[in-house]
Amino acid sequence: MKRTLIVETEGLAGHENMRRDYLLLQAAQEGVFFFRLYRWDPGCLSFGRNEPALRRYDRALIESLDLQTVRRPTGGRAVWHHHEVTYSVAGPVSKFGSLADTYILFHEMLARAMTRLGIDARLAEKHGRTPGLESGPCFASPVGGEVVVGDRKLIGSAQIREGNAFLQHGSILLEDGQDVVSGVSKTAAMRAQSTSINAMTETELSFEVVMKAIADEVRNTWPDDWAEEVVPEYGSGMKLDFTDSQWTWRR
Amino acid sequence: MSNIPEDLQYTEEHEYIRRTEDPTVVQIGITDYAQGELGDIVYVELPEVGATFSKMDVFGTIEAVKAVSELFSPVTGEIVEINSALDNEPASINQDPYEAGWMIKMKIENPGDLEQLLDSNNYAQHIGE
């Protein structure tokens, strides 16, 4: 299986980050395993694919504050992306197993990467049913298998499976800005139960240091050769247009 | 062990097909095995009544534990009814996939599609049970 590691240290707009991740999902249909690390600039509020954003969030307020928004192709709930390193993995389902297996596999790898940074990260235990899409922002509550420090969530992830491939991506917070999500919520939002890398380390770590720790752990976990490339421009017929406000505010 | 009723037919993509009193209409959902693999289901996106699909087209999506997966049409035909109760109670698919958790009813265009489906024994073999 061909492996490609993509490290993008310059931040991109939310719609471009989602377009690139979705391209990786298409390319993974051909059997390639991608691991991408990236940033967001400017900050961006992302909604889960099926999240009722119109009901939960104040669109007028978001637009008056000039906050960028995008709807992810993956599930889950709203995340404010700014001071974070984001990871995405895409690969053939046949090589990585069930949805739960894939989720745990990559979270365990990311927890080891956090250990490299001196952070005592572990996977959350499952308690009761997974919160529904109406239950506040992504970082309001960890679900079983997510990466936490103590009882606070450090990494929030989501996944999609299409055809023979999966895409999983998630936010690794350098600084905790998740209160932005509750600030634009129409309803009494649960406050974020998040933490961040810089809250856990004595000195502030840069994006580059965190990206390197994760890339090192990726190479340690899958020690075969990794090609280092840019996101391939696979296909022109993208099913989703992440610049389209009809998609972003579809429900 | 998963619940695999003997009176239903199945696909390798883990949908089940139940015949109805109308021989041209079938009821479709996902199997007990599939709901177990997905985990806690929080949302299902179903098509409009009147939409048509070919066999193996994606007719909707299902979200569980922050993961979105596709739902595949096991037959070619037209949607004649959807289970709108799933809007408010998607967990019915976890709790009762073969009754309260059914998803769509389709009017089949080609009865031959049904002959290509798995029976309960073959499906059990497919999932290794």
Side-chain angles (χ1 to χ4, degrees):
Chain A
M1 180 171 53
K2 184 184 174 191
R3 295 171 163 85
T4 297
L5 178 61
I6 300 161
V7 179
E8 297 175 327
T9 54
E10 296 297 317
L12 294 169
H15 60 81
E16 178 61 16
N17 275 327
M18 290 303 95
R19 190 185 76 88
R20 291 184 182 203
D21 275 358
Y22 202 57
L23 281 169
L24 297 186
L25 175 63
Q26 293 188 347
Q29 306 284 349
E30 296 172 21
V32 184
F33 171 29
F34 292 95
F35 198 102
R36 175 179 176 232
L37 292 167
Y38 59 95
R39 297 173 53 185
W40 305 65
D41 187 21
C44 182
L45 179 64
S46 81
F47 305 123
R49 183 186 187 112
N50 297 314
E51 188 176 16
L54 284 169
R55 198 157 63 232
R56 278 207 61 81
Y57 298 105
D58 187 335
R59 183 176 182 179
L61 176 61
I62 288 167
E63 289 175 353
S64 73
L65 293 170
D66 211 18
L67 300 181
Q68 279 203 359
T69 51
V70 71
R71 189 178 285 272
R72 304 186 302 267
T74 52
R77 294 170 284 150
V79 179
W80 173 248
H81 305 274
H82 199 195
H83 297 291
E84 68 171 58
V85 170
T86 313
Y87 80 93
S88 63
V89 289
V93 167
S94 61
K95 301 286 185 188
F96 291 91
S98 74
L99 191 155
D101 290 345
T102 315
Y103 215 55
I104 297 294
L105 175 73
F106 291 106
H107 281 168
E108 285 179 339
M109 187 279 293
L110 290 165
R112 290 194 298 275
M114 295 302 102
T115 304
R116 286 173 178 260
L117 297 169
I119 297 168
D120 184 21
R122 60 177 176 80
L123 302 199
E125 290 175 13
K126 180 172 168 57
H127 295 290
R129 246 192 101 77
T130 302
L133 294 175
E134 300 274 4
S135 54
C138 172
F139 278 89
S141 51
V143 301
E146 288 192 309
V147 180
V148 295
V149 179
D151 59 355
R152 293 194 159 256
K153 186 161 158 180
L154 179 63
I155 303 176
S157 300
Q159 197 182 115
I160 180 172
R161 297 189 156 218
E162 263 188 22
N164 303 315
F166 72 92
L167 164 70
Q168 179 174 315
H169 53 194
S171 299
I172 305 160
L173 303 181
L174 260 78
E175 291 176 23
D176 187 356
Q178 295 307 308
D179 283 348
V180 171
V181 185
S182 37
V184 294
S185 177
K186 279 183 180 176
T187 55
M190 291 166 68
R191 288 185 66 80
Q193 297 286 318
S194 46
T195 189
S196 67
I197 288 175
N198 282 335
M200 294 291 140
T201 53
E202 288 181 7
T203 54
E204 283 198 4
L205 301 182
S206 67
F207 290 100
E208 289 77 8
V209 166
V210 175
M211 284 181 167
K212 181 177 183 310
I214 297 167
D216 287 349
E217 188 54 42
V218 168
R219 292 191 191 91
N220 182 58
T221 304
W222 296 279
D224 301 315
D225 287 343
W226 285 81
E228 297 197 13
E229 295 178 9
V230 295
V231 175
E233 284 294 331
Y234 273 80
S236 54
M238 290 273 281
K239 280 197 289 187
L240 302 177
D241 177 0
F242 298 102
T243 63
D244 183 357
S245 62
Q246 300 263 354
W247 166 254
T248 303
W249 293 100
R250 75 188 188 108
R251 66 187 305 263
Chain B
M1 292 286 283
S2 306
N3 178 16
I4 309 172
E6 289 181 5
D7 60 331
L8 305 182
Q9 292 176 284
Y10 302 90
T11 68
E12 291 186 352
E13 290 72 35
H14 310 292
E15 282 89 17
Y16 70 81
I17 296 87
R18 182 192 299 279
R19 310 281 184 113
T20 68
E21 286 178 3
D22 180 342
T24 67
V25 173
V26 293
Q27 188 182 72
I28 295 163
I30 63 166
T31 64
D32 183 46
Y33 172 83
Q35 69 77 20
E37 287 290 295
L38 287 168
D40 297 342
I41 292 163
V42 295
Y43 184 77
V44 60
E45 182 173 41
L46 298 177
E48 303 275 333
V49 169
T52 57
F53 295 94
S54 296
K55 186 178 173 180
M56 287 304 290
D57 278 354
V58 174
F59 74 77
T61 62
I62 188 165
E63 179 168 342
V65 200
K66 303 200 296 183
V68 174
S69 304
E70 296 171 313
L71 298 165
F72 296 95
S73 175
V75 294
T76 295
E78 179 184 344
I79 305 291
V80 292
E81 190 177 344
I82 62 167
N83 183 0
S84 48
L86 296 178
D87 273 352
N88 294 323
E89 292 292 338
S92 301
I93 300 168
N94 291 121
Q95 293 152 1
D96 191 9
Y98 298 115
E99 298 293 340
W102 70 274
M103 294 178 176
I104 56 172
K105 289 182 182 174
M106 284 185 85
K107 189 174 187 66
I108 53 176
E109 189 174 290
N110 175 16
D113 286 349
L114 299 175
E115 292 164 18
Q116 297 164 29
L117 299 169
L118 304 176
D119 64 19
S120 59
N121 286 331
N122 288 335
Y123 181 67
Q125 213 165 24
H126 175 62
I127 61 175
E129 292 187 354

